[in-house]
Every structure is written in C-alpha cells, then in structure tokens.
Amino acid sequence: MAGQTDTLIAAILEDIDAGRLAPGKEIDEAVLAARHSVSRTPIREAYIQLEASGLIRRLPRKGAVLFKPTLEEFLAIQEVHAQLEGQAAGLAARRISPVLREQLQAVVAACEAHASQKGDADPDGYYQLNLRFHETVALGAANPFLVEMIKTNARKLMAYYRARYQYPGAIAQSALEHREIATLILSHDRAGAEAAMQAHVLFDQVTVMDLLAALG
C-alpha cells in the first residue's frame, strides 16, 4: 500500500511539474486508478498527503483539485518562496561545489542562448531551463531540507511562473537576472546573491493579478 501511494504521489507531482495539471483542475481518480492499476484506497491516501502539503484540495463529493491560489494566497506564498530561494542562493555562494559551479555556468549560458536565438519563442522550453537554473542553485546550498521546502512551494505557483514567460521580454529579462545571480554566487557574495534571487522570484501585485486572470 505504501509503495502504491508513493508511486501515485510521484505521478501527480510529475504532472504538476510538466504542466499537465492546471490550477483548479480536477485530478481524475478513475484515470489514476486505471493508469497505475490501483484501488481507491492508495489514491485517497495520496490525496491526504498532498493536501497536507498544500498542493491539492479535496472537495466533498468532487474528488480533488490542484491548488489554485487567491490573490492573497499567491502573494503570501510568493513572499515565503522568495525568502527560501534567496536563502538558497546565499548558502550556495558559500557552499556550491565545483561540479555544481560548472553546471550553473552551463545552464545560465543555455538561458542566454535561448533568449538570444529564440527571443520570446518557445516559452515552455525556456521554462525548463529556468527550472534547471533554480534547481542547481538550490542544490548548491547543500541543504536537502531547504531543497524540499523550495520544491513544495514552487509547485503551488509553478503554472503561474510558467505562464510568465508568455509575456514579451520576460525571457530576456529572466536570462539577464540569471547571469547576475550566478555571478554573485560564483564570486561568493552571499548578501548580494540572496537579495538578487529574492528580487528575481518576486512579482509585483499587478503582474500577479494578470497571471491569475490568464489562468482563469
């Protein structure tokens, strides 16, 4: 039972990360059961665990839906998320390993190449590079508990961060900020890296309202 529950949780998280589940969208229990050849019991256990982490909401007689924040919830989660991401960047400035230094430089260069060669095109492709950038920084902090907290918070707003790259100029600006953050990390500027990452992650309220409207 525990193994089936873990498999279901991993599958739902993968759907969130890949953008196959949109905020407010119902998670089809019948599809999950058929895809993974399981009964409703492990599905409900998976729902309980995901609800505890704030990623889904169970509705009476309607199953479960992916978390969809209100404006107030978005701003509150974003505030916490920016602090976590900033802390990771600050710690990475002190702790990042030689291997991750190389990976960080490579992903920043890939972000810049995408922005230069494709402009505003292929926002989903750029978003995957963005995920790699933030994952590399988080791993550079060498604190697995912090990494898991960042992942959980990011998944609550992931669809909105993905949608942000549909806006003209957003990719170029992101790539520029990635270079700035990486430079601060690689030069061991903890305070600078932390502040730059926080500013990079935070959206102003008008942008948040636009994103909430864009995703219904």
Side-chain angles (χ1 to χ4, degrees):
M1 181 71 70
Q4 290 179 334
T5 299
D6 290 343
T7 298
L8 288 165
I9 290 173
I12 293 170
L13 294 180
E14 183 179 339
D15 285 344
I16 294 172
D17 293 348
R20 291 188 288 268
L21 277 177
K25 182 177 180 180
E26 183 177 355
I27 303 171
D28 194 317
E29 188 172 315
V31 170
L32 277 178
R35 186 195 305 175
H36 300 284
S37 301
V38 297
S39 67
R40 289 186 174 182
T41 302
I43 292 176
R44 288 170 180 170
E45 178 59 34
Y47 284 176
I48 289 170
Q49 293 188 35
L50 289 168
E51 185 176 43
S53 64
L55 290 173
I56 70 169
R57 285 179 173 164
R58 290 184 297 163
L59 305 175
R61 298 178 296 281
K62 291 186 179 180
V65 297
L66 189 64
F67 172 71
K68 183 177 182 179
T70 63
L71 173 61
E72 292 77 12
E73 287 171 331
F74 191 112
L75 294 172
I77 296 168
Q78 184 187 220
E79 184 176 52
V80 173
H81 188 59
Q83 291 293 323
L84 293 172
E85 291 263 18
Q87 184 178 11
L91 289 174
R94 294 176 52 192
R95 302 175 178 174
I96 193 167
S97 67
V99 171
L100 287 173
R101 286 175 66 92
E102 292 184 5
Q103 291 180 14
L104 183 60
Q105 291 171 322
V107 71
V108 169
C111 290
E112 292 173 328
H114 188 292
S116 174
Q117 296 167 14
K118 298 184 179 182
D120 294 325
D122 190 18
D124 287 340
Y126 182 82
Y127 184 68
Q128 295 306 313
L129 292 174
N130 178 71
L131 289 179
R132 282 174 49 198
F133 170 79
H134 285 274
E135 180 182 33
T136 304
V137 173
L139 291 173
N143 185 320
F145 296 100
L146 180 59
V147 171
E148 286 306 309
M149 291 172 69
I150 288 172
K151 284 182 179 179
T152 298
N153 274 279
R155 285 181 172 123
K156 294 175 184 176
L157 303 180
M158 190 167 281
Y160 302 95
Y161 281 103
R162 184 190 300 272
R164 182 69 179 92
Y165 295 117
Q166 303 285 342
Y167 289 67
I171 289 174
Q173 183 62 33
S174 173
L176 184 67
E177 292 173 5
H178 286 177
R179 171 59 66 185
E180 177 190 2
I181 294 165
T183 298
L184 291 165
I185 289 173
L186 298 177
S187 62
H188 308 293
D189 185 345
R190 179 176 182 176
E194 185 168 343
M197 180 62 90
Q198 288 182 9
H200 173 67
V201 171
L202 284 171
F203 294 151
D204 62 80
Q205 185 167 323
V206 172
T207 299
V208 173
M209 292 175 68
D210 288 344
L211 292 172
L212 289 171
L215 291 178

